[in-house]
Amino acid sequence: MRVPKLKAIRAMFLVALMTAALSSHAAAQSPASDPEVQAQIDLFSAWLEGQIEIRGLPGIVVGVVSGDELLWAKGFGHADIEADRPMETDTRFRMASHSKLFTATAIMQLREQGRIRLDDPVSDYLPWFTFQGAAPDDPPLTIEHLLTHSSGLPREAGPHWSDLDFPTAEEIRELMPDRQAPFSPEVRWKYSNLAYTIAGMVVEEVSGMSWAEYLQANIFDPLGMTASSVDVPDAMMATGYGNRMPDGSRQVFPFVDARGMAAATGLTSTVE
């Protein structure tokens, strides 16, 4: 047990060392022009390239950020092994649950505009929204409950992580009445992709736009996030790989459209 812990400590130390060096020189000059910083970058890069070789990792992109500035970024290994496509800083990745940050941002934008309140019942905006409550005296489920994982809703809408067949928005509306909440609202914290899916549907209902359209117009475009999108196949997308098997092989995963659950897990972006 000690060896993995030592490796983890060593990795964190190298990252911290490089980050400190980059951050301390960020305001003064370009990091690449400073010998001390470049030495830390070289040390970290050599270590990471060694990890890729030893562990048989497909590839990785690393970025160091100070404040709002990306100080340094570099790709290591491959974005696609079979195609011999190298990992680059502009390689696209599925961001999975980081998508929830954008859903929460969208909700807060609408709140600031006075178009919703966090303590409003979800059913005020989605009249079809109903489910099997944990107790007959449960209070109404609110938008805040969705964002804080305190809704008590089940984690998923169905077996889509196994069969990779994510439900459409219409299918989610149809299945909700049969979904059983294991807990009442505010009883305990329970992570829920389904809750954030519903939050995204609130955004769509209030804004009159699809979740992808809302993000493009209100977050991506204003921030200049030109490499970000929602569930769009991209030639620059990194290939997904599974766990390393005893023979060194890894399962290759296809591109999967999150469909109606995009607000919980459908974002694509880059380190830049």
Side-chain angles (χ1 to χ4, degrees):
M1 294 297 291
R2 292 183 179 179
V3 174
K5 288 183 178 179
L6 287 174
K7 289 181 178 179
I9 293 172
R10 185 182 301 125
M12 289 187 290
F13 174 74
L14 287 172
V15 172
L17 193 63
M18 183 179 67
T19 302
L22 284 164
S23 299
S24 64
H25 291 77
Q29 57 187 342
S30 171
S33 66
D34 186 279
E36 179 184 349
V37 173
Q38 190 58 55
Q40 301 299 337
I41 290 175
D42 292 343
L43 175 62
F44 174 78
S45 298
W47 174 81
L48 190 51
E49 287 167 354
Q51 294 300 305
I52 289 175
E53 182 67 25
I54 294 170
R55 299 170 182 263
L57 302 175
I60 186 172
V61 173
V62 179
V64 177
V65 177
S66 178
D68 295 329
E69 183 181 0
L70 178 64
L71 301 180
W72 175 83
K74 183 179 179 180
F76 299 84
H78 289 82
D80 188 298
I81 296 174
E82 184 177 353
D84 195 27
R85 179 159 56 93
M87 191 71 78
E88 307 285 358
T89 56
D90 60 353
T91 299
R92 271 67 161 167
F93 287 87
R94 299 300 296 274
M95 302 304 289
S97 284
H98 292 293
S99 306
K100 294 178 176 65
L101 170 64
F102 293 81
T103 302
T105 299
I107 287 288
M108 296 307 291
Q109 287 178 333
L110 295 173
R111 175 187 176 275
E112 289 181 353
Q113 296 166 14
R115 302 172 71 179
I116 63 174
R117 290 170 54 92
L118 296 183
D119 56 0
D120 283 341
V122 174
S123 57
D124 284 1
Y125 303 95
L126 305 177
W128 53 264
F129 179 72
T130 183
F131 59 96
Q132 301 296 317
D137 58 348
D138 281 350
L141 197 151
T142 68
I143 294 174
E144 182 176 357
H145 291 146
L146 299 177
L147 298 187
T148 57
H149 292 296
S150 60
S151 67
L153 289 175
R155 180 185 175 103
E156 306 296 347
H160 39 268
W161 291 111
S162 299
D163 58 23
L164 303 183
D165 185 18
F166 281 72
T168 65
E170 181 58 35
E171 289 171 336
I172 291 170
R173 285 192 286 270
E174 292 175 354
L175 63 80
M176 277 307 304
D178 295 326
R179 287 299 174 268
Q180 175 66 53
F183 305 106
S184 300
E186 300 182 9
V187 168
R188 61 175 293 177
W189 186 90
K190 178 175 175 55
Y191 191 87
S192 177
N193 284 316
L194 180 56
Y196 263 80
T197 295
I198 300 301
M201 298 175 88
V202 171
V203 172
E204 292 180 324
E205 182 65 28
V206 174
S207 68
M209 307 167 73
S210 71
W211 189 69
E213 291 171 340
Y214 184 92
L215 260 58
Q216 192 67 51
N218 295 278
I219 299 179
F220 294 162
D221 287 347
L223 295 178
M225 297 177 65
T226 58
S228 300
S229 60
V230 177
D231 276 337
V232 178
D234 193 313
M236 298 183 69
M237 186 88 72
T239 297
Y241 294 96
N243 292 332
R244 189 183 189 188
M245 305 306 291
D247 63 358
S249 65
R250 292 178 184 271
Q251 180 183 357
V252 177
F253 291 114
F255 175 86
V256 178
D257 190 338
R259 297 176 179 164
M261 299 191 70
T265 184
L267 187 66
T268 295
S269 195
T270 73
V271 72
E272 296 178 328

